[in-house]
Amino acid sequence: MENICKNLKKIKSEIESLNPDVKLMAVSKNFNLSVVKKAYECGQRIFGENRMQEAIAKIELAKQDNLDIQWHLIGHLQLNKAKKAAMYFDYIDSMDSLELADKLNNYAFSQNKIINIMLEVNIANDPKKFGFFKNDVLEATRSIVNLKNLKLHGLMCIGPQADEVEIRKAFRDMKSLFEDLKKSFCPDLAELSMGMSDDYKIAIQEGSTIIRIGRGIFGERT
Ligand SMILES: *Cc1c(COP(=O)(O)O)cnc(C)c1O
């Protein structure tokens, strides 16, 4: 078993030295609630999940234990699961189509809640990835800000699997997109979610406000 507390501590001290304002999300996909609890006991409160079925089971159990966790959905959400997602998540960081935004907004309305969302950006135009293309983000944002039961609070991306130069360029492009949106019509945009186990230091240097770490905390997934 990985030493979860030790890993968390190490990452936090790196955050501290690079930019103390950066938040840490623990990505607990493929790990069960007892593993989540270990991180929780070490003070971790923000968790990310990428599959609905698995996430819901964990969230239910965590609720029974009265754990005070902020759960983020960070994986692609199918339209037919939007209703459930609206029930279980207050944060959906993988908003990747206008159709999904519209559906979620309707479900959030009928459940009388506000859901915080991030737009996922396919920053390096990878055909295998989800998310809005960079050139479509402005347009998408214009319609999403009109959906009253969604609160757009950030942008998210997965860095390319490439060399450092390309990764850095992708993160830099995200940062400038983020700043452009803030200047134009999203002054409240707060989060730039980028950086995972292999590239979080670069992401922080390029302006990430929240990093999403799985393997670096919990060890390799099986
Ligand atoms: C799995 C996953 C992560 C964490 O990846 P690691 O490489 O284990 O740190 C972060 N973001 C998303 C969207 C993921 O699916």
Side-chain angles (χ1 to χ4, degrees):
M1 172 54 93
E2 286 284 317
N3 194 334
I4 291 170
C5 279
K6 200 171 127 222
N7 293 343
L8 279 170
K9 233 180 171 164
K10 177 174 157 274
I11 295 165
K12 279 189 197 155
S13 79
E14 279 161 356
I15 291 175
E16 195 64 35
S17 70
L18 290 165
N19 179 356
D21 294 332
V22 169
K23 298 192 205 67
L24 173 59
M25 179 191 299
V27 178
S28 46
K29 65 188 185 198
N30 292 32
F31 291 98
N32 60 29
L33 190 73
S34 69
V35 178
V36 168
K37 274 185 180 166
K38 289 217 164 86
Y40 186 87
E41 281 157 14
C42 306
Q44 183 62 31
R45 292 295 179 270
I46 307 174
F47 288 85
E49 286 285 334
N50 78 336
R51 286 208 312 272
M52 280 289 293
Q53 219 53 20
E54 183 190 338
I56 288 173
K58 257 178 261 186
I59 294 171
E60 289 277 10
L61 289 171
K63 267 192 200 146
Q64 286 168 23
D65 287 349
N66 287 317
L67 302 188
D68 171 32
I69 290 180
Q70 189 183 94
W71 293 101
H72 290 244
L73 184 66
I74 59 172
H76 174 63
L77 176 58
Q78 289 166 302
L79 293 174
N80 63 357
K81 293 185 179 147
K83 187 174 181 181
K84 273 227 154 133
M87 286 165 64
Y88 283 89
F89 286 93
D90 296 317
Y91 295 83
I92 293 179
D93 301 351
S94 45
M95 179 62 60
D96 56 15
S97 75
L98 288 178
E99 204 181 355
L100 178 61
D102 214 43
K103 267 208 146 76
L104 259 179
N105 182 60
N106 290 338
Y107 289 128
F109 175 77
S110 63
Q111 293 169 28
N112 196 23
K113 68 188 282 195
I114 304 284
I115 299 177
N116 295 284
I117 61 158
M118 294 194 206
L119 284 201
E120 182 169 355
V121 183
N122 187 347
I123 194 66
N125 299 332
D126 180 344
K128 293 192 291 294
K129 283 204 177 105
F130 290 104
F132 292 92
F133 292 121
K134 190 170 64 179
N135 293 338
D136 298 333
V137 169
L138 204 75
E139 193 66 29
T141 310
R142 273 187 212 283
S143 29
I144 284 174
V145 291
N146 292 321
L147 302 174
K148 299 288 177 239
N149 290 75
L150 301 184
K151 171 156 177 44
L152 179 62
H153 80 129
L155 301 180
M156 152 171 142
C157 79
I158 298 176
Q161 286 207 312
D163 60 20
E164 188 182 323
V165 175
E166 253 179 83
I167 296 171
R168 197 174 286 282
K169 181 186 177 298
F171 289 158
R172 210 165 271 183
D173 287 349
M174 281 295 287
K175 171 72 172 172
S176 78
L177 196 55
F178 180 70
E179 293 301 333
D180 287 350
L181 283 177
K182 281 213 307 199
K183 263 184 246 137
S184 49
F185 55 99
C186 298
D188 300 340
L189 212 60
E191 303 286 14
L192 183 54
S193 173
M194 56 190 196
M196 301 165 39
S197 292
D198 294 329
D199 56 17
Y200 67 90
K201 284 178 205 160
I202 307 173
I204 294 174
Q205 288 162 353
E206 298 303 334
S208 170
T209 66
I210 179 164
I211 58 174
R212 312 181 305 268
I213 309 293
R215 289 168 300 130
I217 297 171
F218 301 112
E220 290 297 327
R221 289 179 286 273
T222 46

